[in-house]
mmCIF file of all heavy atoms in Angstrom:
data_model
loop_
_atom_site.group_PDB
_atom_site.id
_atom_site.type_symbol
_atom_site.label_atom_id
_atom_site.label_comp_id
_atom_site.label_asym_id
_atom_site.label_seq_id
_atom_site.Cartn_x
_atom_site.Cartn_y
_atom_site.Cartn_z
ATOM 1 N N ARG A 1277 0.856 -1.188 0.000
ATOM 2 C CA ARG A 1277 0.000 0.000 0.000
ATOM 3 C C ARG A 1277 0.892 1.238 0.000
ATOM 4 O O ARG A 1277 1.884 1.283 0.732
ATOM 5 C CB ARG A 1277 -0.890 0.028 1.235
ATOM 6 C CG ARG A 1277 -1.972 -1.015 1.226
ATOM 7 C CD ARG A 1277 -2.851 -0.884 2.480
ATOM 8 N NE ARG A 1277 -3.984 -1.766 2.413
ATOM 9 C CZ ARG A 1277 -3.973 -3.037 2.805
ATOM 10 N NH1 ARG A 1277 -2.873 -3.559 3.302
ATOM 11 N NH2 ARG A 1277 -5.052 -3.776 2.714
ATOM 12 N N LEU A 1278 0.492 2.221 -0.771
ATOM 13 C CA LEU A 1278 1.168 3.507 -0.799
ATOM 14 C C LEU A 1278 0.117 4.588 -0.594
ATOM 15 O O LEU A 1278 -0.988 4.487 -1.114
ATOM 16 C CB LEU A 1278 1.849 3.752 -2.144
ATOM 17 C CG LEU A 1278 2.853 2.715 -2.628
ATOM 18 C CD1 LEU A 1278 3.383 3.116 -4.004
ATOM 19 C CD2 LEU A 1278 3.984 2.560 -1.654
ATOM 20 N N LEU A 1279 0.488 5.615 0.142
ATOM 21 C CA LEU A 1279 -0.407 6.735 0.358
ATOM 22 C C LEU A 1279 0.441 7.991 0.465
ATOM 23 O O LEU A 1279 1.414 8.015 1.236
ATOM 24 C CB LEU A 1279 -1.226 6.541 1.644
ATOM 25 C CG LEU A 1279 -2.119 7.703 2.051
ATOM 26 C CD1 LEU A 1279 -3.225 7.917 1.022
ATOM 27 C CD2 LEU A 1279 -2.704 7.455 3.427
ATOM 28 N N GLN A 1280 0.079 9.002 -0.295
ATOM 29 C CA GLN A 1280 0.794 10.267 -0.197
ATOM 30 C C GLN A 1280 -0.123 11.295 0.435
ATOM 31 O O GLN A 1280 -1.273 11.454 0.025
ATOM 32 C CB GLN A 1280 1.232 10.761 -1.571
ATOM 33 C CG GLN A 1280 2.030 12.040 -1.465
ATOM 34 C CD GLN A 1280 2.413 12.614 -2.808
ATOM 35 O OE1 GLN A 1280 2.145 12.018 -3.838
ATOM 36 N NE2 GLN A 1280 3.031 13.772 -2.791
ATOM 37 N N GLN A 1281 0.400 11.967 1.446
ATOM 38 C CA GLN A 1281 -0.286 13.078 2.080
ATOM 39 C C GLN A 1281 0.715 14.202 2.219
ATOM 40 O O GLN A 1281 1.710 14.070 2.936
ATOM 41 C CB GLN A 1281 -0.840 12.682 3.442
ATOM 42 C CG GLN A 1281 -1.956 11.665 3.348
ATOM 43 C CD GLN A 1281 -2.533 11.318 4.715
ATOM 44 O OE1 GLN A 1281 -1.850 11.366 5.730
ATOM 45 N NE2 GLN A 1281 -3.807 10.980 4.732
ATOM 46 N N ALA A 1282 0.449 15.285 1.485
ATOM 47 C CA ALA A 1282 1.347 16.441 1.453
ATOM 48 C C ALA A 1282 2.755 15.986 1.057
ATOM 49 O O ALA A 1282 2.920 15.385 0.008
ATOM 50 C CB ALA A 1282 1.310 17.188 2.785
ATOM 51 N N ASP A 1283 3.752 16.229 1.915
ATOM 52 C CA ASP A 1283 5.129 15.877 1.561
ATOM 53 C C ASP A 1283 5.576 14.557 2.180
ATOM 54 O O ASP A 1283 6.760 14.284 2.301
ATOM 55 C CB ASP A 1283 6.085 17.001 1.959
ATOM 56 C CG ASP A 1283 6.156 17.220 3.461
ATOM 57 O OD1 ASP A 1283 5.259 16.735 4.181
ATOM 58 O OD2 ASP A 1283 7.103 17.891 3.907
ATOM 59 N N ARG A 1284 4.627 13.717 2.574
ATOM 60 C CA ARG A 1284 4.951 12.420 3.147
ATOM 61 C C ARG A 1284 4.385 11.300 2.273
ATOM 62 O O ARG A 1284 3.255 11.383 1.804
ATOM 63 C CB ARG A 1284 4.351 12.244 4.543
ATOM 64 C CG ARG A 1284 4.856 13.221 5.585
ATOM 65 C CD ARG A 1284 6.317 12.986 5.903
ATOM 66 N NE ARG A 1284 6.825 13.680 7.045
ATOM 67 C CZ ARG A 1284 7.122 14.967 7.099
ATOM 68 N NH1 ARG A 1284 6.910 15.737 6.059
ATOM 69 N NH2 ARG A 1284 7.629 15.504 8.182
ATOM 70 N N LEU A 1285 5.190 10.276 2.087
ATOM 71 C CA LEU A 1285 4.758 9.081 1.387
ATOM 72 C C LEU A 1285 4.783 7.939 2.396
ATOM 73 O O LEU A 1285 5.813 7.672 3.013
ATOM 74 C CB LEU A 1285 5.685 8.763 0.212
ATOM 75 C CG LEU A 1285 5.353 7.499 -0.569
ATOM 76 C CD1 LEU A 1285 3.997 7.617 -1.255
ATOM 77 C CD2 LEU A 1285 6.445 7.216 -1.595
ATOM 78 N N TYR A 1286 3.645 7.305 2.585
ATOM 79 C CA TYR A 1286 3.513 6.184 3.507
ATOM 80 C C TYR A 1286 3.528 4.898 2.682
ATOM 81 O O TYR A 1286 2.741 4.747 1.750
ATOM 82 C CB TYR A 1286 2.207 6.301 4.306
ATOM 83 C CG TYR A 1286 2.149 7.565 5.119
ATOM 84 C CD1 TYR A 1286 1.681 8.753 4.568
ATOM 85 C CD2 TYR A 1286 2.593 7.577 6.438
ATOM 86 C CE1 TYR A 1286 1.648 9.928 5.315
ATOM 87 C CE2 TYR A 1286 2.568 8.740 7.185
ATOM 88 C CZ TYR A 1286 2.091 9.916 6.621
ATOM 89 O OH TYR A 1286 2.069 11.076 7.362
ATOM 90 N N LEU A 1287 4.456 4.007 3.004
ATOM 91 C CA LEU A 1287 4.580 2.722 2.321
ATOM 92 C C LEU A 1287 4.352 1.627 3.338
ATOM 93 O O LEU A 1287 4.879 1.696 4.453
ATOM 94 C CB LEU A 1287 5.987 2.550 1.746
ATOM 95 C CG LEU A 1287 6.494 3.631 0.816
ATOM 96 C CD1 LEU A 1287 7.349 4.609 1.571
ATOM 97 C CD2 LEU A 1287 7.282 3.006 -0.294
ATOM 98 N N CYS A 1288 3.603 0.614 2.959
ATOM 99 C CA CYS A 1288 3.339 -0.493 3.866
ATOM 100 C C CYS A 1288 3.364 -1.788 3.077
ATOM 101 O O CYS A 1288 2.691 -1.908 2.054
ATOM 102 C CB CYS A 1288 1.983 -0.300 4.532
ATOM 103 S SG CYS A 1288 1.587 -1.594 5.709
ATOM 104 N N VAL A 1289 4.145 -2.744 3.547
ATOM 105 C CA VAL A 1289 4.176 -4.081 2.959
ATOM 106 C C VAL A 1289 3.795 -5.057 4.063
ATOM 107 O O VAL A 1289 4.401 -5.071 5.124
ATOM 108 C CB VAL A 1289 5.560 -4.423 2.371
ATOM 109 C CG1 VAL A 1289 5.579 -5.848 1.835
ATOM 110 C CG2 VAL A 1289 5.939 -3.428 1.268
ATOM 111 N N THR A 1290 2.764 -5.835 3.770
ATOM 112 C CA THR A 1290 2.271 -6.826 4.726
ATOM 113 C C THR A 1290 2.419 -8.198 4.107
ATOM 114 O O THR A 1290 2.072 -8.395 2.941
ATOM 115 C CB THR A 1290 0.784 -6.562 5.038
ATOM 116 O OG1 THR A 1290 0.641 -5.221 5.501
ATOM 117 C CG2 THR A 1290 0.266 -7.515 6.087
ATOM 118 N N ASP A 1291 2.961 -9.123 4.865
ATOM 119 C CA ASP A 1291 2.990 -10.503 4.367
ATOM 120 C C ASP A 1291 1.981 -11.306 5.169
ATOM 121 O O ASP A 1291 1.592 -10.943 6.269
ATOM 122 C CB ASP A 1291 4.379 -11.120 4.394
ATOM 123 C CG ASP A 1291 4.968 -11.299 5.773
ATOM 124 O OD1 ASP A 1291 4.215 -11.357 6.754
ATOM 125 O OD2 ASP A 1291 6.192 -11.393 5.875
ATOM 126 N N SER A 1292 1.509 -12.374 4.559
ATOM 127 C CA SER A 1292 0.512 -13.191 5.245
ATOM 128 C C SER A 1292 0.639 -14.637 4.808
ATOM 129 O O SER A 1292 1.300 -14.946 3.821
ATOM 130 C CB SER A 1292 -0.897 -12.676 4.945
ATOM 131 O OG SER A 1292 -1.161 -12.766 3.566
ATOM 132 N N GLY A 1293 -0.010 -15.456 5.549
ATOM 133 C CA GLY A 1293 0.036 -16.878 5.254
ATOM 134 C C GLY A 1293 1.097 -17.579 6.070
ATOM 135 O O GLY A 1293 1.856 -16.973 6.815
ATOM 136 N N VAL A 1294 1.138 -18.852 5.915
ATOM 137 C CA VAL A 1294 2.088 -19.692 6.637
ATOM 138 C C VAL A 1294 3.398 -19.745 5.853
ATOM 139 O O VAL A 1294 3.374 -19.854 4.624
ATOM 140 C CB VAL A 1294 1.511 -21.114 6.797
ATOM 141 C CG1 VAL A 1294 2.485 -22.020 7.509
ATOM 142 C CG2 VAL A 1294 0.190 -21.046 7.539
ATOM 143 N N PRO A 1295 4.552 -19.640 6.518
ATOM 144 C CA PRO A 1295 5.814 -19.769 5.783
ATOM 145 C C PRO A 1295 5.842 -21.061 4.978
ATOM 146 O O PRO A 1295 5.395 -22.103 5.449
ATOM 147 C CB PRO A 1295 6.871 -19.792 6.890
ATOM 148 C CG PRO A 1295 6.219 -19.107 8.041
ATOM 149 C CD PRO A 1295 4.756 -19.449 7.937
ATOM 150 N N LEU A 1296 6.348 -20.955 3.748
ATOM 151 C CA LEU A 1296 6.398 -22.116 2.873
ATOM 152 C C LEU A 1296 7.480 -23.102 3.302
ATOM 153 O O LEU A 1296 7.338 -24.296 3.135
ATOM 154 C CB LEU A 1296 6.627 -21.668 1.431
ATOM 155 C CG LEU A 1296 5.548 -20.726 0.880
ATOM 156 C CD1 LEU A 1296 5.943 -20.233 -0.494
ATOM 157 C CD2 LEU A 1296 4.196 -21.415 0.859
ATOM 158 N N THR A 1297 8.576 -22.585 3.852
ATOM 159 C CA THR A 1297 9.665 -23.434 4.324
ATOM 160 C C THR A 1297 10.277 -22.800 5.562
ATOM 161 O O THR A 1297 10.154 -21.602 5.770
ATOM 162 C CB THR A 1297 10.785 -23.587 3.262
ATOM 163 O OG1 THR A 1297 11.278 -22.287 2.940
ATOM 164 C CG2 THR A 1297 10.280 -24.273 2.009
ATOM 165 N N ALA A 1298 10.943 -23.601 6.348
ATOM 166 C CA ALA A 1298 11.667 -23.068 7.504
ATOM 167 C C ALA A 1298 12.943 -22.403 7.011
ATOM 168 O O ALA A 1298 13.546 -22.844 6.038
ATOM 169 C CB ALA A 1298 11.991 -24.196 8.474
ATOM 170 N N HIS A 1299 13.354 -21.336 7.670
ATOM 171 C CA HIS A 1299 14.569 -20.619 7.279
ATOM 172 C C HIS A 1299 15.535 -20.575 8.444
ATOM 173 O O HIS A 1299 15.135 -20.433 9.584
ATOM 174 C CB HIS A 1299 14.229 -19.185 6.865
ATOM 175 C CG HIS A 1299 13.391 -19.134 5.644
ATOM 176 N ND1 HIS A 1299 13.895 -19.268 4.385
ATOM 177 C CD2 HIS A 1299 12.061 -18.974 5.486
ATOM 178 C CE1 HIS A 1299 12.925 -19.187 3.509
ATOM 179 N NE2 HIS A 1299 11.789 -19.012 4.152
ATOM 180 N N ARG A 1300 16.813 -20.650 8.098
ATOM 181 C CA ARG A 1300 17.815 -20.524 9.145
ATOM 182 C C ARG A 1300 19.112 -20.060 8.494
ATOM 183 O O ARG A 1300 19.464 -20.487 7.401
ATOM 184 C CB ARG A 1300 17.887 -21.848 9.858
ATOM 185 C CG ARG A 1300 19.135 -22.519 10.002
ATOM 186 C CD ARG A 1300 18.973 -23.883 10.570
ATOM 187 N NE ARG A 1300 19.488 -24.771 9.540
ATOM 188 C CZ ARG A 1300 19.736 -26.018 9.703
ATOM 189 N NH1 ARG A 1300 19.456 -26.600 10.829
ATOM 190 N NH2 ARG A 1300 20.241 -26.720 8.749
ATOM 191 N N LEU A 1301 19.795 -19.153 9.166
ATOM 192 C CA LEU A 1301 21.079 -18.671 8.655
ATOM 193 C C LEU A 1301 22.148 -19.717 8.915
ATOM 194 O O LEU A 1301 22.223 -20.264 10.012
ATOM 195 C CB LEU A 1301 21.473 -17.357 9.327
ATOM 196 C CG LEU A 1301 20.646 -16.143 8.947
ATOM 197 C CD1 LEU A 1301 21.078 -14.949 9.782
ATOM 198 C CD2 LEU A 1301 20.773 -15.836 7.478
ATOM 199 N N VAL A 1302 22.973 -19.967 7.919
ATOM 200 C CA VAL A 1302 24.028 -20.964 8.090
ATOM 201 C C VAL A 1302 25.418 -20.346 7.969
ATOM 202 O O VAL A 1302 26.401 -21.039 8.085
ATOM 203 C CB VAL A 1302 23.872 -22.116 7.069
ATOM 204 C CG1 VAL A 1302 22.614 -22.907 7.364
ATOM 205 C CG2 VAL A 1302 23.861 -21.596 5.645
ATOM 206 N N ILE A 1303 25.474 -19.043 7.715
ATOM 207 C CA ILE A 1303 26.765 -18.355 7.656
ATOM 208 C C ILE A 1303 26.727 -17.175 8.622
ATOM 209 O O ILE A 1303 25.659 -16.677 8.949
ATOM 210 C CB ILE A 1303 27.093 -17.863 6.214
ATOM 211 C CG1 ILE A 1303 25.991 -16.947 5.690
ATOM 212 C CG2 ILE A 1303 27.306 -19.029 5.283
ATOM 213 C CD1 ILE A 1303 26.293 -16.325 4.349
ATOM 214 N N PRO A 1304 27.874 -16.728 9.092
ATOM 215 C CA PRO A 1304 27.901 -15.604 10.028
ATOM 216 C C PRO A 1304 27.235 -14.368 9.425
ATOM 217 O O PRO A 1304 27.390 -14.085 8.231
ATOM 218 C CB PRO A 1304 29.388 -15.354 10.269
ATOM 219 C CG PRO A 1304 30.059 -16.624 9.877
ATOM 220 C CD PRO A 1304 29.210 -17.246 8.818
ATOM 221 N N GLN A 1305 26.498 -13.643 10.233
ATOM 222 C CA GLN A 1305 25.750 -12.473 9.770
ATOM 223 C C GLN A 1305 26.641 -11.452 9.064
ATOM 224 O O GLN A 1305 26.260 -10.881 8.059
ATOM 225 C CB GLN A 1305 25.035 -11.820 10.959
ATOM 226 C CG GLN A 1305 24.122 -10.689 10.577
ATOM 227 C CD GLN A 1305 22.911 -11.143 9.782
ATOM 228 O OE1 GLN A 1305 22.512 -12.299 9.837
ATOM 229 N NE2 GLN A 1305 22.332 -10.235 9.038
#
């Protein structure tokens, strides 16, 4: 979703649903 009001732009990204796979980091951050 995007919304502009005056000199501000509001951006919103929403994810939903069940994760398709488990995730895990395997290398140092």
